[in-house]
Amino acid sequence: MILLSSEIVLFVVSFVLVSASFASASKLVPLSDTRPTRLDLSSSPEVSGNCRSVPAFDATMAFRCAGFYSSGGYVEWKVMSEKGGSFDLHLSYASLIQGDKQDLKVEVGIVGGKQAIADIKDKTKGNFLPGFDFKDVKDEYLWNYDRIPLDGKLIIEAGQEVHLRLSTDGMKKKQVIEMRNLELIPSDAVDALLNEASLAKSNRSDASWMHENGMYGLMVHFTMETMNDPASSTVSYWDAINSFDVEKFADMCAKYKFGYVIFTTNHQYPHMPAPIAEWEVLHPGWTTE
């Protein structure tokens, strides 16, 4: 939601489970009973009304719900849980406002009864400063995202195929919100996942050597956005990787005595400059040969 005055605007986003007879989304998404399931545009939802996909280069990164499209709309996924049970929910969203406060309520529920609600009063914050006016949001995607938990849980019966709907009816013209995904986490798996994250954090490498003894290094931000000279013709990421002269690059690093090199595998887009099969499974079409 974008707020362009000091007035507090209420924008309600609701997630509602409707019966499987309401056919819409084209792809059935199985919900994991041990890991998070992220519902996003790759899950082939139906996107309608004031909710639209937001393209960025050759990828579609998010969906935007905005009052300047229309007053009502929705995003809907088709999901199924073999085991069934309770799910915790998290929402990844971005909101840019030009005011002091906002009141954004997110509801999640099965038809006939509310299951969860989150009341968001702060805009999303991050490293990127807003560099455009409201009119530009129609052609740009927002930068600063936040991942927020929703209070309450979603209950799905075992083997039940349901349609999970994000509804944005009644939006005012100057209200905008972008979302990357809705995350469903099996409630029974939360403790194990938290322990796993804690273990990973405790095993992080000690990088203090990188700034000892006056050492300096090189970081190369080799991505779809940074590898091309704007004045020259555009080369695809895949062609640029295949023509990359690794030995010449290594000789240059040795010549200038870099103590280390950081070479980005991806940023913002899930490309991978190597034929890694496991990555291709998670991000089809984004690896190189």
Side-chain angles (χ1 to χ4, degrees):
M1 180 189 75
I2 290 184
L3 182 60
L4 299 182
S5 71
S6 58
E7 177 186 2
I8 297 177
V9 178
L10 175 64
F11 171 33
V12 176
V13 180
S14 62
F15 291 90
V16 180
L17 279 174
V18 298
S19 67
S21 60
F22 191 96
S24 56
S26 61
K27 177 181 177 181
L28 179 63
V29 181
L31 301 179
S32 172
D33 58 7
T34 59
R35 311 293 301 180
T37 300
R38 294 178 179 88
L39 301 176
D40 55 21
L41 282 166
S42 69
S43 308
S44 300
E46 180 182 8
V47 184
S48 176
N50 62 21
C51 294
R52 312 246 179 120
S53 60
V54 183
F57 296 92
D58 294 330
T60 302
M61 304 305 297
F63 54 87
R64 175 187 296 132
C65 301
F68 55 70
Y69 292 143
S70 66
S71 62
Y74 62 84
V75 179
E76 182 177 293
W77 294 273
K78 184 165 60 175
V79 301
M80 191 269 288
S81 171
E82 282 192 16
K83 182 179 178 181
S86 171
F87 292 85
D88 290 19
L89 299 114
H90 288 76
L91 179 67
S92 176
Y93 82 102
S95 179
L96 174 69
I97 61 174
Q98 296 177 4
D100 296 329
K101 294 181 180 180
Q102 69 175 338
D103 193 348
L104 170 64
K105 292 189 183 299
V106 179
E107 274 186 4
V108 178
I110 297 175
V111 171
K114 294 181 179 178
Q115 294 292 315
I117 188 168
D119 190 7
I120 307 164
K121 295 189 178 294
D122 298 321
K123 66 179 179 180
T124 51
K125 300 176 182 179
N127 297 324
F128 298 101
L129 297 176
F132 42 76
D133 297 324
F134 170 75
K135 64 179 183 299
D136 298 319
V137 178
K138 295 182 181 180
D139 304 312
E140 298 285 344
Y141 47 91
L142 304 185
W143 294 92
N144 296 322
Y145 274 77
D146 196 6
R147 177 178 177 270
I148 56 168
L150 279 70
D151 295 329
K153 300 180 185 297
L154 187 69
I155 309 298
I156 299 179
E157 298 294 329
Q160 181 184 12
E161 181 181 312
V162 295
H163 289 252
L164 182 60
R165 174 176 285 198
L166 182 155
S167 176
T168 54
D169 293 331
M171 290 187 70
K172 295 186 175 33
K173 186 175 181 180
K174 294 182 178 180
Q175 291 178 325
V176 178
I177 186 173
E178 279 188 12
M179 286 165 266
R180 289 288 179 93
N181 60 61
L182 174 67
E183 188 173 332
L184 281 69
I185 306 174
S187 300
D188 292 343
V190 169
D191 288 342
L193 291 171
L194 289 174
N195 290 336
E196 183 179 292
S198 178
L199 178 62
K201 185 176 180 179
S202 68
N203 282 290
R204 287 178 179 172
S205 299
D206 180 5
S208 60
W209 60 269
M210 296 176 72
H211 57 79
E212 292 175 350
N213 303 318
M215 180 184 294
Y216 66 95
L218 172 70
M219 178 176 177
V220 179
H221 207 75
F222 195 86
T223 73
M224 292 175 68
E225 290 193 64
T226 60
M227 66 187 187
N228 282 297
D229 181 349
S232 66
S233 59
T234 301
V235 177
S236 75
Y237 178 82
W238 291 265
D239 288 341
I241 288 295
N242 290 333
S243 62
F244 190 87
D245 192 330
V246 177
E247 290 189 1
K248 183 177 180 180
F249 179 77
D251 290 342
M252 181 269 294
C253 293
K255 176 182 177 180
Y256 292 103
K257 297 181 169 47
F258 294 131
Y260 57 88
V261 173
I262 299 173
F263 194 98
T264 54
T265 56
N266 56 71
H267 176 88
Q268 187 173 342
Y269 307 102
H271 45 62
M272 176 60 64
I276 300 177
E278 292 81 3
W279 194 267
E280 180 68 20
V281 170
L282 295 173
H283 305 284
W286 286 96
T287 58
T288 60
E289 296 180 1

